[in-house]
Amino acid sequence: AYEHDEVTSNLRVNNPVLAPLAVDTGFYRPAPFGREAATDGEQYFFSVSWTSTTNVIRKGVRQTIEAFAKVAADLPGSRLKLAGKPGDCHGKLQELVCSIGLQDRVDFLGVISDEEKRKHYQSCLAYVQPTLYEGFGLAIAEAIACGSQVVTSDRGAVPEVAGDFGTCVPPKDVQAIAAAMLQSARSPYSHQERYSAHCWIQNNFSLTRRKEMLKSTLDRLSS
């Protein structure tokens, strides 16, 4: 509803209809045997972002790295895995990681397949994206569909997409991001909570739900 309200309050439109983006909940779902089976004991936080300067700013990638630096000592052996197409800010992020001594605990994965991304959503301690703005928040929805805890913000459409399954913090507050990351690591989801997270996305933002909304709109137009 966020983008619907933004558009209709700024542009003159007739009979506006909202049909949100959707997640393939048949593909993006929790691992069959839970996080322990999926990770082989590895503990890490995960995020996805193209590392262009504007995207790094919007997705809060620097803040995510800085927050991980604050929790790393409390979680020995934990890692931060960052996926996404390298952009013009990629080198600066690597320099940041080295400057705070985390070069052995932060992995830049680059472009990964959908299957790899799904495994990381299923396996990570939390998906971290303290975004400044999202018109929808597709990666956040995918992560929740896979049963991941999510550390994010209350900007844009994120609250309506995340529902009760996202921990929202001020996007530039590194300390708050770190605290939410640490909390997620110390209080992992149960199997039931993972299933409930998946059901939230399935019931509200699945491909089936989107098709139903589009069909209803077309039926009204043709009647």
Side-chain angles (χ1 to χ4, degrees):
Y2 177 82
E3 285 210 314
H4 174 278
D5 294 343
E6 283 287 288
V7 170
T8 56
S9 64
N10 289 282
L11 296 175
R12 181 178 297 176
V13 296
N14 295 318
N15 302 317
V17 175
L18 175 68
L21 291 177
V23 173
D24 183 352
T25 51
F27 181 81
Y28 290 106
R29 58 185 308 111
F33 302 107
R35 187 174 66 204
E36 291 79 11
T39 62
D40 295 325
E42 188 176 24
Q43 294 190 320
Y44 62 93
F45 299 96
F46 180 56
S47 190
V48 178
S49 176
W50 174 33
T51 56
S52 67
T53 297
T54 53
N55 223 44
V56 164
I57 293 171
R58 183 168 67 87
K59 301 285 187 180
V61 180
R62 291 185 64 92
Q63 287 81 2
T64 297
I65 293 171
E66 292 167 353
F68 178 65
K70 291 183 177 297
V71 306
D74 292 317
L75 298 172
S78 64
R79 306 187 67 82
L80 173 62
K81 296 180 182 285
L82 302 171
K85 179 182 176 181
D88 63 313
C89 199
H90 189 77
K92 292 181 180 178
L93 292 177
Q94 291 178 314
E95 290 173 4
L96 172 63
V97 167
C98 291
S99 72
I100 54 182
L102 290 175
Q103 59 269 29
D104 294 329
R105 295 180 63 178
V106 176
D107 303 313
F108 290 92
L109 305 178
V111 178
I112 60 175
S113 67
D114 288 340
E115 288 76 15
E116 290 174 300
K117 183 172 62 170
R118 177 180 62 182
K119 181 180 178 180
H120 289 306
Y121 286 146
Q122 293 169 339
S123 306
C124 64
L125 295 169
Y127 179 76
V128 185
Q129 186 176 302
T131 182
L132 290 176
Y133 177 82
E134 295 294 332
F136 179 75
L138 185 60
I140 291 169
E142 290 173 348
I144 293 172
C146 289
S148 175
Q149 294 195 65
V150 170
V151 176
T152 184
S153 71
D154 63 354
R155 301 296 183 88
V158 172
E160 63 192 75
V161 172
D164 295 331
F165 299 97
T167 299
C168 292
V169 296
K172 294 185 179 182
D173 188 335
V174 172
Q175 190 62 50
I177 298 167
M181 291 169 70
L182 191 58
Q183 179 62 28
S184 66
R186 290 175 171 170
S187 302
Y189 274 171
S190 65
H191 175 74
Q192 182 58 47
E193 286 170 320
R194 288 173 174 267
Y195 176 73
S196 296
H198 176 79
C199 287
W200 165 257
I201 298 299
Q202 181 168 281
N203 293 336
N204 293 281
F205 305 108
S206 65
L207 292 175
T208 299
R209 175 67 174 148
R210 181 175 171 84
K211 288 176 182 177
E212 290 172 351
M213 296 176 73
L214 292 174
K215 182 179 183 302
S216 175
T217 300
L218 291 173
D219 288 344
R220 288 202 307 270
L221 291 173
S222 61
S223 62

